[in-house]
Amino acid sequence: MTGPLREREDAHALLTAEAERARAGGGRLVLLRGATGTGRSAVLEAAAAHATHLGLRVLRARCSPDDIALPFSSVLHLLGSVPEFADVGPGDDDRGSAARLWRLLRSYADESPLMVAVDDVHLADEASRRWFVEAARRIDRLPVLLVATERSQYDIDPRPAGLTHALSPSVVRTHTLAPLTDNASADLVRAAFPTASDRWTADCVRASAGSPLLLHALLDDLDGTPPPTAVPRTCAALYPGSYPAAVSWWLDSAGPATAEVARTLAALEQAERTERTERAERAERAASAVRAARKASAERAENAERAASAERAEGSVARNTVPVPFSFPLPDPVPDPVPDPDNCTDTVTEAALEALPAAEAATDALAALVADASGADPARVSGWFTAMTRLGVLRPDRAGRPRYAHPLLRDAVLGGWSTARRQDAHRAVAQAMLRRGDHLDAVARQLLGSAPTGLAWALRVLRDAATVAARDARPGDAVRYLRRALQEPLPDDLRQRLLTELGSLEYASADTPAGIPRLAEALDLPAEPRDQVRTAIALGTALVGRGEVRTAVEVLRRLKGRLAGHPDLARALQTASALLSDQDQTVRREAYRWLTDTAERSPELVGASGQALLVRYAATAGDLPAQEAMRRLRTLLTEPADPLAEPFLLGTAAAVAQWADELDEAERLVERGLAGQHPSLLHPMEQALLDTRWDIAAARGAYGTLLAALPEAGRARRTGGSPVNADAHTLLALVETGRTPQARRLADTFDLRDTPDSWELNRFLYARGVLRHTEGDVAGALHDFLECGRRQSARAVHSPVVTPWRTAAAECRLALGNPQEALALATEELRLARVWNTPRTTGRALRVLGRATRGRRGLELGAEAVAVLRDSPAEAELVASLLAHGRQLTAAGERGRGRDHLREGAERAERLGSVRLLTYAEQALRTAGGRRTTPAHTGSGSLTGSERRIAELAADGRTNTEIADLLHVARRTVETHLTSAYRKLGIRRRGELRGVLDD
């Protein structure tokens, strides 16, 4: 595809004037200079055509590097086209040959004015160049216009002096052809494709880099795929390939050193762009989460306003509108995704001018890196960056560093290299980056594109980068680094460790099909016994996640049989087997039977972690009080523990502490256990600790925490659509915060008919029962609660510490008019609760039993429930008991006391953020003929006791860590309370606390 010459009017005017001058008998040399692809030859051809039109005879020659060895070859090509001089050739005497050729030209000029057109004079042989220079000095009185084109471009290897270096300015006119402007390039694109959009046109303009050669070649290739088909980003999508061929020719013209630098820059940029793209994708995912959360918040407000409008329409005079639901703190808006460097802008603003020194430093650093990797002179590379930016081949990104103007151009530059050569370039760049101390991630990303090196430094970089990526919760990056590391030559023991880490990370990043075979391969390799145990535990964890519990336990048992000389490792495997068996009630029964029998005969074979599991088992079976359970666990925690077994001990103790209402201690144990987890090794206790963290948040009634941190980790390990613990807590939090439609959508996500047995399924059944009860489907709720209880009993889990299904079912029985069945369920629940004997379980059972019992005894039980729960951290249970007892008192005629309880319950429910309980409280208050006093939502009066205590300590200058140590709570607890206090007090800084607390 060809097109008209654009932005070449000055050159045309100059050549027209000089042609007229030649016709009048005055000759001149006109030198057309320009970079490769700027259209020098096209301008020369247009000038020759115009000269012919004016009556000048045109002699043409195109210089070639193939003719350099033959003296005067370019001049002979020029004059040899005249038949009568075809036998002229150079003699042994250069000066004599030059004179003969000069006489030949004069004879030709005597017949007619001449235009001598010499293309690519920089490629002429040395004798011809000297002849052209001498001719330029002597044609000023001859009717001869000598027009030559010369490549003028900054290259890595300096070029020899140009044709006019030794000429006086009076005998030569020099004109430099600039690259096309964006507007001119866009006009050419629209002339070829009139329907092209602005975006499509801009892509073509950037890919052509101001070069008419590249632009026409690109438009030729795109002729078969016109817009709206997107402009390709790789040359593979182009046909017939004129564009990559033009780019290759452009690089060949620049010389091997320049081509090396250009391709090294392209390889470096390609690896860096991959990192930026992934970072942008992560930012976009985070932004999507924020948008979804804000949309949900708007929906909540809209629903609340509709409810308020409906109640106002009923003419209610009491304060009976449902308040705007609890507003959860949303994360700060996520900035726009990292700009695509391929769509950067070079518009200069004041801010850009201020950033110029930093941009220059970044460019110099990049030039030094490329020079080091390619073996070029850094100063020449920096100059080449500047020259290519002026030409439009490179454009600055937001940081001011030069980048190829379009990914298609970058791909075409790389296309001239073989795979092996590209790999060598990535290795060289990585080594150069390592020498100058670049970030580990950047070096490793370059190594991803290199071939195995067998060098110790490369393996070290890949392993260290994988470790950092895993620690920073970037499993995708860690997986790529480890896959590349495994391509290096490795001894079996090291390969075994890397395979274990890789399989663990692949599984954690939802690539389960790849992760399990990796772990199985690692287990078959020879390794130290401790490494084999780590691999077996990781493989068992992955298999359980896929629902293959019995297979997982069998894997651990087989390895245990080979560890006769390592009792500590054997105990760790046995503990892992027991923990993993929790997902299958049959396997669980077998595992705990073995643990129990062994502990009775030979306690040393069970170890501290096994003993802790037995304490947990007894607690769930309803055989052990909370105080005794915690005493035993605290004793076990003081014993020396093997590093492989310690996570089991910490995780088990954290779970039991949460059940025992020792929430701060449970939180400390969770954080300690998670801190000890290897970020790139699968371990069953890691998920157990995360589950306990969810349980703690639920026990505190921290609905904002439960809903803000969506259970992505749980979703990643979900198999076959099975719900996990995080789903159950999310469902309950949605119900409590009045988002019943969203809770219903979440519940309908799972088909529980074919879901494998697990404790998580039981917990989700309980949560779905709560949802159904809230929706008014009491019979459906009762079915879920009884099914949860049946499954729990089959697992020998009788205590209400895990799921209080009996009290929930009893409330359904009461609603359905079956008080005797409700009484039986509540009585049994209270019996088991008194065994465990914590305020949360006992108070809940007392509340429901009081409702089922009724009468004076029922009032006593309700009052006892409230009294017991005032010492509990379970605020939601206290609210429920206050409301239940308030209604009991009202029904018994004690309306004043009843309203007091209902008002307190309403205020606590609002502070807690429980829309469900708040709505229930306000309805009960209206029924009791009262209204709720408006609580203090802001100011120091709105602070809870814990918030005020922590805020006062912070105001005294204590750090969060000091406050946590002083109050024996977790640092996270301090941070949560301070955040809430800041919001209520309307402040942002710690220094403002004292002033607002004193008000």
Side-chain angles (χ1 to χ4, degrees), residues 618-707:
T620 59
D623 297 334
L624 195 65
Q627 188 174 4
E628 175 61 17
M630 290 306 299
R631 185 192 66 78
R632 293 185 189 180
L633 287 171
R634 286 169 180 144
T635 300
L636 293 171
L637 285 167
T638 62
E639 297 180 6
D642 184 272
L644 278 175
E646 186 179 38
F648 297 105
L649 179 58
L650 292 172
T652 305
V656 176
Q658 185 273 133
W659 295 336
D661 287 349
E662 301 285 352
L663 300 187
D664 289 336
E665 184 172 358
E667 203 163 41
R668 287 195 295 272
L669 289 168
V670 166
E671 298 307 320
R672 180 179 162 192
L674 289 174
Q677 290 291 307
H678 194 298
S680 58
L681 283 179
L682 269 182
H683 197 287
M685 194 47 73
E686 180 177 11
Q687 188 57 50
L689 288 163
L690 294 174
D691 284 329
T692 301
R693 178 185 280 174
W694 279 87
D695 295 343
I696 294 169
R700 295 188 190 278
Y703 306 124
T705 300
L706 294 170
L707 292 176

Side-chain angles (χ1 to χ4, degrees), residues 213-290:
L213 169 74
L214 297 185
L215 181 56
H216 288 306
L218 177 61
L219 296 179
D220 280 340
D221 285 344
L222 294 177
D223 195 33
T225 55
T229 304
V231 175
R233 291 182 168 245
T234 64
C235 294
L238 296 178
Y239 182 81
S242 302
Y243 178 82
V247 172
S248 179
W249 179 78
W250 170 73
L251 286 174
D252 290 343
S253 300
T258 300
E260 182 82 6
V261 167
R263 287 172 174 141
T264 300
L265 175 65
L268 174 64
E269 182 182 328
Q270 189 176 53
E272 288 182 349
R273 185 180 180 279
T274 300
E275 179 181 4
R276 283 194 295 270
T277 300
E278 292 167 358
R279 192 165 65 244
E281 289 173 352
R282 288 195 295 270
E284 178 57 29
R285 285 195 296 270
S288 298
V290 171

Side-chain angles (χ1 to χ4, degrees), residues 129-218:
R129 285 171 60 84
R130 288 196 299 271
W131 190 88
F132 289 136
V133 170
E134 188 60 29
R137 291 194 179 101
R138 301 166 65 183
I139 61 174
D140 58 331
R141 296 183 182 181
L142 295 177
V144 177
L145 172 60
L146 174 57
V147 182
T149 68
E150 183 178 66
R151 182 178 181 276
S152 175
Q153 186 170 308
Y154 191 97
D155 294 315
I156 302 303
D157 285 338
R159 294 283 181 174
L163 182 69
T164 61
H165 177 69
L167 288 175
S168 168
S170 62
V171 300
V172 61
R173 293 289 182 268
T174 300
H175 183 83
T176 300
L177 300 177
L180 295 179
T181 63
D182 287 354
N183 288 337
S185 298
D187 289 342
L188 287 171
V189 174
R190 293 192 183 96
F193 298 100
T195 62
S197 67
D198 291 343
R199 175 61 185 271
W200 197 88
T201 300
D203 269 358
C204 290
V205 169
R206 285 182 176 275
S208 68
S211 167
L213 169 74
L214 297 185
L215 181 56
H216 288 306
L218 177 61

Side-chain angles (χ1 to χ4, degrees), residues 823-974:
L823 186 62
L825 286 166
T827 300
E828 177 63 10
E829 181 95 329
L830 181 58
R831 183 189 70 80
L832 291 166
R834 289 201 185 280
V835 173
W836 184 244
N837 199 29
T838 59
R840 189 177 4 157
T841 54
T842 304
R844 180 172 52 228
L846 285 168
R847 178 188 79 237
V848 179
L849 183 60
R851 288 190 59 207
T853 303
R854 301 183 182 179
R856 178 55 56 186
R857 177 57 181 160
L859 281 172
E860 293 173 355
L861 292 170
E864 186 181 354
V866 172
V868 166
L869 285 165
R870 287 196 184 277
D871 295 328
S872 167
E875 183 76 2
E877 292 294 346
L878 174 58
V879 171
S881 293
L882 283 167
L883 300 181
H885 191 47
R887 296 200 70 161
Q888 284 179 306
L889 291 169
T890 302
E894 300 184 44
R895 301 173 71 85
R897 289 182 60 204
R899 287 194 293 266
D900 289 343
H901 278 71
L902 292 174
R903 287 192 187 98
E904 182 184 356
E907 292 170 5
R908 287 179 178 271
E910 186 169 45
R911 286 200 299 268
L912 188 64
S914 176
V915 174
R916 182 182 69 87
L917 291 174
L918 178 59
T919 304
Y920 178 84
E922 294 190 331
Q923 290 171 350
L925 270 171
R926 288 196 297 272
T927 302
R931 65 171 59 187
R932 181 163 65 94
T933 57
T934 303
H937 296 284
T938 60
S940 59
S942 66
L943 299 181
T944 65
S946 297
E947 289 169 348
R948 173 170 284 279
R949 184 164 59 252
I950 290 174
E952 288 174 346
L953 290 171
D956 290 339
R958 297 183 185 270
T959 66
N960 290 356
T961 301
E962 290 171 343
I963 296 171
D965 292 341
L966 186 64
L967 299 180
H968 303 290
V969 298
R971 179 190 172 100
R972 182 187 296 272
T973 303
V974 175

